[in-house]
Amino acid sequence: MPSEPVLTENDVYRLIGNSRRRAVINILLSENESVMLSELARQTAAVTSEREDTDPSDIYKSVYVSLQQNHLPKLDERGVVEYDADAGTVAPGPELYRFGPYVQQQPSDAPLDRLRHLDPRVVVVLVTIGVVLGFLLALVAGVAA
């Protein structure tokens, strides 16, 4: 009898390539226990709304439905979660813990995501400073040559 296929690194990246699946994985890694689908959708909406600069209640229904119909079945099929649609629960699966190092390194959770929330005037000032410093460095390098 063939054994279950092991997740490759490409599989892992494909699964965490979606912000909602990534949020589910992070939530389950931190909870480390079974969670009701409604609570998981609420927490996922909260995480997603920060990135999309929206109110969590505005996207809750969309998040709930996409988790229920798409993301959780996909994660369940790969052993990342154990999704019981009838009971409305989601528990850590045997493969979940392989994702810890990957989700903590995701660029969408990093500084570039935080830049979206900066005042545009601050961004203009920072870019201007960078251009001026670049010009001065080129000028100094030209004089030294």
Side-chain angles (χ1 to χ4, degrees), residues 58-134:
D58 291 344
I59 62 169
Y60 171 81
K61 186 174 183 178
S62 166
V63 169
Y64 185 97
V65 170
S66 70
L67 292 181
Q68 181 184 47
Q69 294 179 355
N70 180 17
H71 303 302
L72 294 176
K74 186 174 289 191
L75 292 171
D76 183 58
E77 177 182 295
R78 301 309 306 240
V80 181
V81 303
E82 293 179 0
Y83 172 48
D84 184 338
D86 294 332
T89 58
V90 184
E95 297 290 327
L96 177 69
Y97 303 101
R98 294 195 53 210
F99 287 80
Y102 294 94
V103 293
Q104 294 171 1
Q105 299 173 12
Q106 282 302 299
S108 64
D109 298 329
L112 284 181
D113 212 32
R114 286 178 266 183
L115 285 176
R116 291 187 187 127
H117 300 293
L118 283 178
D119 185 317
R121 294 172 292 194
V122 172
V123 174
V124 169
V125 169
L126 291 173
V127 168
T128 303
I129 290 171
V131 168
V132 169
L133 288 175

